[in-house]
Amino acid sequence: MDYTEFVKNVEEFGERFFENMMKQVQNGMGKDWEDVKFDKKNLLQEQQERLREFREELKLLKNPPVDETNWKELENLFDQMKKEIR
């Protein structure tokens, strides 16, 4: 599987997950929990925040890296550090 397909699969999974989770949140908000108390408004806000965060993180996967890593330079610096430590 190439990277683009992987990202697409992550996105599809996430969207399905959050859609189903929202259904569970709505079910929980509509249920009479008798003695169990929880902040229904906060539960909904947290769910919306998690979805927003997922979508923000997904953008990072979809965009090309800002900087290319110069691995050769890192290797040279690492070798230099090892020599200086000895």
Side-chain angles (χ1 to χ4, degrees):
M1 163 184 328
D2 70 359
Y3 183 77
T4 303
E5 185 178 354
F6 170 76
V7 173
K8 181 180 176 219
N9 286 336
V10 168
E11 180 176 24
E12 289 171 354
F13 169 81
E15 292 297 329
R16 281 191 317 272
F17 173 82
F18 283 103
E19 180 182 327
N20 287 314
M21 193 64 198
M22 182 57 80
K23 289 176 186 175
Q24 295 300 317
V25 168
Q26 290 169 341
N27 287 341
M29 292 176 65
K31 183 177 177 181
D32 179 12
W33 290 90
E34 297 175 16
D35 293 337
V36 177
K37 305 290 183 210
F38 65 95
D39 187 342
K40 293 179 180 181
K41 181 180 175 184
N42 189 48
L43 177 64
L44 181 59
Q45 289 174 340
E46 284 184 14
Q47 176 63 18
Q48 291 167 338
E49 178 66 15
R50 288 185 193 112
L51 175 58
R52 186 193 66 73
E53 288 173 355
F54 168 75
R55 288 178 175 161
E56 286 297 313
E57 295 297 324
L58 188 64
K59 285 180 188 178
L60 296 175
L61 295 177
K62 289 182 169 186
N63 292 329
V66 176
D67 294 322
E68 291 293 323
T69 302
N70 185 337
W71 292 107
K72 189 64 182 167
E73 181 180 358
L74 286 173
E75 287 174 8
N76 291 338
L77 288 170
F78 181 66
D79 290 340
Q80 181 181 348
M81 289 170 49
K82 287 192 304 188
K83 288 178 188 174
E84 292 176 6
I85 289 173
R86 291 182 193 166

